[in-house]
Structure formats: structure tokens, C-alpha cells
Amino acid sequence: MSETEIRTVLQELAARAGVSLAALSRMLGRNDAYLQQFVQRGTPRVLAERDRKSLAEFFGVPETRLGAASIAGPMLVRRLAVAASAGPGATVYDEVMIGVEALDRQLARRLGLSDGAASVIRVRGDSMAPGLMDGDHLVVDQTDVQPGARGGLYVIRIGDALMVKRVRADSGGLVASSDNPAAPPLPDGPITVVGRVVWQMRLPS
């Protein structure tokens, strides 16, 4: 199915059920405009898998009606030629794909990942040690760019520096911090969220 067809199906299902897109967005735990923006602007480009599953269950239709793949093969996730700094230094985020990683489809579903909306990047440095170590590979959900008050691990960009940090929202905006107390301070500047870390892979030494 094309993206336009998926948006049309969602509108038709909502109209048939007599429920607004704003109400459906709230049901998903999103802001009221989430599905309206998806339908009218194509933002996000694809529905997060957990949202698609919830909508399919609500409407009583198979997930394939809302764009799920009809086959159950592994999910192919882009591996990018960038490193998220967990230490000093900066990396320019240029999103050059150097390969793919195959994730088990059931694992990808549990992680809430959507096809084409996730990537794998490498950790550089030790500012998030001991949880994240230099050389770890992270699966990043690029549809999740709104940290909550409780926070979580996110890949962020401050200027040209791409890094993985613990990020939470407060009344003044986003606050990022390192887990390692010996880590150097973060650079000044506005925080742009690239995506949430949903899985960590550590290669055997």
C-alpha cells in the first residue's frame, strides 16, 4: 500500500466508527494533532508499529489495512556511518548508510519499530558508562522524538555534535545529561532529538 492509501483508509475507518482523529490520537497517548498531521501532511511518514497495532485492534481490522507488511520476514534496519558521541568530541550527522541489520520481526514489534523508521548507530566514548560502552551499537526509533518528564535514552544533536544522552522534558524545555559523573559538560546550544534508543547490541570482544 502507498502512504496516500494508508492515510485514506485511516480517514475512512475513523469516519465509519464516528470517532475523530484527535480522539484517536489521545487514545494512542499522542497529542491531539498527531493523526491529523499524519493524514494531511504525511508527518510522521509512517505510523509507529505500536500505534498501527492499537488502531487496527480498535477498528477490528488486520494491520495490513494500515500498512503492515503482509510477510513476517525480518525487519531490515539501516546501519549508518555515524557514531553517537558518549564522550568528548563531535560527529557531523550525515546519515550515510553503510549496510543493514536484520532484526527479528517479533522483537521489532515489541520495540514499537516501524519499517523504514529506525536506524543503527555506534557509540563512541564512555560518558554513558557503564550502561553504554564505546563500540556498542544502538537501535534508534526515529519516530520517537518527544522525551517525557521521566526521560530516557535518546540520540540528540547539539550543533554538529551527535551524541547519546539521558534526556527529559521539564518546564524550561529539554534537559540532557551523561550517566558517567566524570564526563565533560555538554556543549551549549538547542537540543534536536534524532530518536529514542530502544535496543543495545554489544559485540563480543
Side-chain angles (χ1 to χ4, degrees), residues 36-120:
Q36 192 74 31
Q37 291 176 340
F38 169 71
V39 167
Q40 294 186 349
R41 303 179 186 175
T43 304
R45 187 173 58 82
V46 294
L47 290 171
E49 190 160 342
R50 60 179 176 273
D51 293 341
R52 186 177 63 210
K53 179 179 176 61
S54 295
L55 289 169
E57 290 177 349
F58 176 83
F59 291 123
V61 298
E63 286 187 60
T64 51
R65 289 287 307 278
L66 294 170
S70 59
I71 57 174
M75 176 182 288
L76 299 180
V77 179
R78 298 172 301 157
R79 182 156 46 90
L80 303 180
V82 295
S85 177
T91 299
V92 175
Y93 184 68
D94 54 7
E95 200 165 308
V96 176
M97 189 175 78
I98 58 174
V100 294
E101 298 282 351
L103 290 185
D104 177 79
R105 180 69 61 172
Q106 290 186 344
L107 171 62
R109 184 177 294 112
R110 289 199 300 271
L111 297 176
L113 296 175
S114 302
D115 285 286
S119 57
V120 174

Side-chain angles (χ1 to χ4, degrees), residues 186-204:
L186 273 63
D188 294 328
I191 296 173
T192 300
V193 178
V194 174
R196 183 170 64 91
V197 176
V198 296
W199 192 254
Q200 174 186 0
M201 297 181 289
R202 181 165 297 169
L203 300 179

